[in-house]
Amino acid sequence: MERGNATAGSYGEDLDGKIDAAKLPVRSVYLPMARNNLAADLEVFDAANPEVTVGERTPTTVPTQALYLLNSEVLQAQARELGAGAYLFDNPDGVTHLYRRVLGRPPHPAERERAVSFVSDGGRDREQALADLAHVLLASTEFLFLD
């Protein structure tokens, strides 16, 4: 989630003291592993069996990873922050802003047309629509995987 945090620009203010993982949106490099009590979040991401020594993990992608990210409160909060930032721009500049901020590129013409149509859809709150678009972009394959 660190990439998502950097995208939304929301790091904790004081990272010198003890970090409470429940309060700060930072990623842990080291996490204690209890062999008989594997963290539920790690199970979702197909964690290695802590009882077996493995020199190299095989890359895996399981459907629960995408569902976890789509339903994650952390990702939803990041999407709301991105949506609020994009709300400061008029259409279609808000859509372009989101694509540049999340994916590091402007939207392709067809993407831009669909996204602007989604945000402009009648009866919707524009800021919420931009947050929803940011949520989709944050959970996209292009954002999650490096080529």
Side-chain angles (χ1 to χ4, degrees), residues 6-144:
T7 300
S10 61
Y11 279 102
E13 293 177 9
D14 181 20
L15 296 180
D16 292 332
K18 182 178 179 186
I19 294 176
D20 182 357
K23 293 182 181 178
L24 290 176
V26 296
R27 174 177 62 181
S28 173
V29 177
Y30 301 101
L31 185 66
M33 296 285 267
R35 291 182 184 161
N36 60 349
N37 188 18
L38 190 62
D41 290 349
L42 294 178
E43 289 180 21
V44 169
F45 285 92
D46 198 25
N49 182 347
E51 297 179 8
V52 178
T53 302
V54 179
E56 183 177 329
R57 288 277 328 266
T58 56
T60 60
T61 305
V62 292
T64 51
Q65 293 174 358
L67 290 173
Y68 179 86
L69 289 174
L70 284 171
N71 293 314
S72 164
E73 290 179 21
V74 172
L75 197 68
Q76 291 174 15
Q78 297 300 312
R80 283 191 298 274
E81 286 188 40
L82 286 163
Y87 185 72
L88 301 174
F89 297 89
D90 292 329
N91 272 343
D93 294 334
V95 168
T96 302
H97 173 78
L98 280 178
Y99 268 82
R100 286 188 187 278
R101 188 89 169 136
V102 176
L103 301 179
R105 64 167 179 84
H108 299 299
E111 292 172 329
R112 182 177 172 154
E113 184 179 328
R114 282 192 308 263
V116 168
S117 174
F118 174 77
V119 171
S120 300
D121 192 14
R124 291 199 53 127
D125 175 24
R126 183 171 171 270
E127 186 172 1
Q128 181 60 49
L130 287 164
D132 290 344
L133 177 60
H135 193 189
V136 169
L137 293 175
L138 287 170
S140 70
T141 304
E142 185 175 347
F143 177 76
L144 297 174

